[in-house]
Protein backbone atom coordinates (compact mmCIF):
# COMPACT_ATOMS: atom_id res chain seq x y z
CA UNK A 1 0.00 0.00 0.00
CA UNK A 2 1.36 3.41 -1.00
CA UNK A 3 0.63 6.26 1.41
CA UNK A 4 -0.65 9.25 -0.61
CA UNK A 5 -1.56 11.68 2.16
CA UNK A 6 -1.54 11.82 5.93
CA UNK A 7 -3.75 14.15 7.95
CA UNK A 8 -2.38 15.23 11.31
CA UNK A 9 -4.72 16.46 14.03
CA UNK A 10 -3.94 16.92 17.71
CA UNK A 11 -6.79 16.50 20.19
CA UNK A 12 -6.72 17.65 23.80
CA UNK A 13 -9.31 17.47 26.57
CA UNK A 14 -11.37 14.54 25.28
CA UNK A 15 -15.05 15.14 24.46
CA UNK A 16 -14.87 18.59 26.06
CA UNK A 17 -11.67 19.70 24.45
CA UNK A 18 -10.01 21.08 21.37
CA UNK A 19 -8.74 19.82 18.02
CA UNK A 20 -6.18 21.43 15.76
CA UNK A 21 -4.70 20.25 12.49
CA UNK A 22 -1.00 20.62 11.75
CA UNK A 23 -1.80 23.01 8.88
CA UNK A 24 -4.02 25.16 11.13
CA UNK A 25 -7.11 24.82 8.92
CA UNK A 26 -8.95 22.95 11.65
CA UNK A 27 -8.76 24.70 15.01
CA UNK A 28 -11.86 24.44 17.18
CA UNK A 29 -13.44 23.22 20.39
CA UNK A 30 -15.41 20.01 20.71
CA UNK A 31 -18.14 19.44 23.29
CA UNK A 32 -20.20 16.53 24.48
CA UNK A 33 -23.73 16.94 23.08
CA UNK A 34 -26.57 17.86 25.42
CA UNK A 35 -28.21 14.51 24.60
CA UNK A 36 -25.24 12.83 26.29
CA UNK A 37 -25.25 15.11 29.34
CA UNK A 38 -22.85 17.69 27.95
CA UNK A 39 -23.16 21.40 27.42
CA UNK A 40 -23.35 21.21 23.61
CA UNK A 41 -22.64 24.35 21.64
CA UNK A 42 -19.76 22.88 19.61
CA UNK A 43 -19.20 19.98 17.27
CA UNK A 44 -18.48 16.47 18.54
CA UNK A 45 -16.61 13.36 17.34
CA UNK A 46 -19.73 11.80 15.79
CA UNK A 47 -20.47 14.91 13.71
CA UNK A 48 -16.86 15.09 12.61
CA UNK A 49 -16.85 11.42 11.59
CA UNK A 50 -20.09 11.89 9.63
CA UNK A 51 -18.72 15.07 8.01
CA UNK A 52 -15.62 13.19 6.83
CA UNK A 53 -17.43 10.03 5.73
CA UNK A 54 -19.99 11.85 3.54
CA UNK A 55 -17.62 13.47 1.03
CA UNK A 56 -15.44 10.35 0.91
CA UNK A 57 -18.50 8.21 0.20
CA UNK A 58 -19.69 10.58 -2.54
CA UNK A 59 -16.24 10.37 -4.13
CA UNK A 60 -16.55 6.59 -4.24
CA UNK A 61 -20.10 6.87 -5.58
CA UNK A 62 -18.85 9.21 -8.31
CA UNK A 63 -16.17 6.73 -9.38
CA UNK A 64 -18.66 3.87 -9.56
CA UNK A 65 -21.27 5.97 -11.37
CA UNK A 66 -18.74 7.24 -13.93
CA UNK A 67 -17.81 3.65 -14.85
CA UNK A 68 -21.50 2.88 -15.31
CA UNK A 69 -22.29 6.08 -17.22
CA UNK A 70 -24.64 7.48 -14.57
CA UNK A 71 -24.80 11.20 -13.76
CA UNK A 72 -24.68 11.70 -10.00
CA UNK A 73 -23.88 15.42 -10.04
CA UNK A 74 -27.03 16.13 -8.00
CA UNK A 75 -26.56 13.23 -5.58
CA UNK A 76 -26.24 13.66 -1.84
CA UNK A 77 -25.73 11.44 1.16
CA UNK A 78 -27.02 12.04 4.66
CA UNK A 79 -24.67 10.34 7.10
CA UNK A 80 -26.03 9.65 10.57
CA UNK A 81 -23.46 8.45 13.10
CA UNK A 82 -24.94 7.28 16.40
CA UNK A 83 -23.23 6.81 19.76
CA UNK A 84 -24.84 3.78 21.41
CA UNK A 85 -24.79 2.06 24.79
CA UNK A 86 -23.66 -1.54 24.28
CA UNK A 87 -23.90 -3.33 27.61
CA UNK A 88 -21.18 -1.86 29.80
CA UNK A 89 -19.43 -0.15 26.89
CA UNK A 90 -20.26 1.99 23.88
CA UNK A 91 -20.42 1.46 20.13
CA UNK A 92 -21.03 3.49 17.02
CA UNK A 93 -23.56 2.75 14.31
CA UNK A 94 -24.25 4.55 11.06
CA UNK A 95 -26.92 5.11 8.46
CA UNK A 96 -26.08 6.40 4.99
CA UNK A 97 -29.17 7.70 3.20
CA UNK A 98 -28.22 8.10 -0.46
CA UNK A 99 -30.29 10.27 -2.82
CA UNK A 100 -29.54 10.11 -6.55
CA UNK A 101 -32.06 12.11 -8.58
CA UNK A 102 -33.01 10.96 -12.07
CA UNK A 103 -32.64 7.20 -11.66
CA UNK A 104 -34.79 4.47 -10.15
CA UNK A 105 -34.60 3.60 -6.48
CA UNK A 106 -33.38 0.11 -7.47
CA UNK A 107 -30.51 1.53 -9.56
CA UNK A 108 -29.74 3.99 -6.76
CA UNK A 109 -29.58 1.17 -4.21
CA UNK A 110 -27.27 -0.84 -6.46
CA UNK A 111 -24.88 2.11 -6.91
CA UNK A 112 -25.07 2.94 -3.20
CA UNK A 113 -24.06 -0.60 -2.21
CA UNK A 114 -21.22 -0.68 -4.74
CA UNK A 115 -19.89 2.64 -3.44
CA UNK A 116 -20.06 1.31 0.11
CA UNK A 117 -17.73 -1.53 -0.89
CA UNK A 118 -15.00 0.81 -2.18
CA UNK A 119 -15.26 3.91 0.04
CA UNK A 120 -12.23 3.97 2.40
CA UNK A 121 -14.39 5.04 5.38
CA UNK A 122 -16.92 2.31 4.65
CA UNK A 123 -14.12 -0.23 4.34
CA UNK A 124 -12.63 0.95 7.64
CA UNK A 125 -15.92 0.44 9.46
CA UNK A 126 -16.89 -2.85 7.77
CA UNK A 127 -17.39 -5.50 10.43
CA UNK A 128 -16.65 -2.97 13.19
CA UNK A 129 -19.92 -1.05 13.43
CA UNK A 130 -23.46 -1.61 12.21
CA UNK A 131 -23.94 0.30 8.94
CA UNK A 132 -27.11 0.63 6.88
CA UNK A 133 -26.90 2.02 3.34
CA UNK A 134 -30.27 2.95 1.83
CA UNK A 135 -31.26 4.67 -1.38
CA UNK A 136 -33.92 7.26 -0.60
Amino acid sequence: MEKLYTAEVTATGGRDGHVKSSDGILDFDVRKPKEMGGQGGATNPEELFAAAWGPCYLGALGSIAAREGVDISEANVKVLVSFNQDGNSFALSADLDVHIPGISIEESQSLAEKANKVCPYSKATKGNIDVRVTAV
Side-chain angles (χ1 to χ4, degrees):
M1 178 168 34
E2 178 187 357
K3 198 176 290 187
L4 300 176
Y5 169 76
T6 301
E8 180 182 336
V9 175
T10 301
T12 57
R15 286 189 166 271
D16 289 311
H18 193 85
V19 295
K20 184 175 183 178
S21 61
S22 60
D23 61 10
I25 292 173
L26 296 178
D27 188 0
F28 52 83
D29 291 333
V30 293
R31 295 283 177 261
K32 187 185 298 184
K34 289 181 180 181
E35 296 85 348
M36 293 173 56
Q39 69 182 21
T43 193
N44 59 66
E46 291 72 36
E47 284 181 339
L48 293 170
F49 189 47
W53 196 347
C56 186
Y57 178 86
L58 284 177
L61 182 64
S63 295
I64 297 294
R67 284 194 294 241
E68 297 192 14
V70 177
D71 177 17
I72 62 132
S73 59
E74 298 298 316
N76 67 69
V77 60
K78 183 190 320 182
V79 181
L80 300 95
V81 174
S82 299
F83 186 90
N84 308 288
Q85 182 81 43
D86 186 20
N88 291 329
S89 65
F90 303 99
L92 297 178
S93 62
D95 294 287
L96 282 69
D97 294 338
V98 183
H99 177 65
I100 308 171
I103 63 174
S104 72
I105 199 78
E106 294 80 15
E107 188 175 6
S108 293
Q109 186 67 38
S110 175
L111 288 173
E113 290 172 3
K114 289 175 185 176
N116 194 51
K117 290 180 181 172
V118 299
C119 169
Y121 278 75
S122 297
K123 288 168 62 174
T125 60
K126 184 178 180 181
N128 296 309
I129 69 172
D130 291 332
V131 177
R132 180 189 58 83
V133 178
T134 306
V136 295

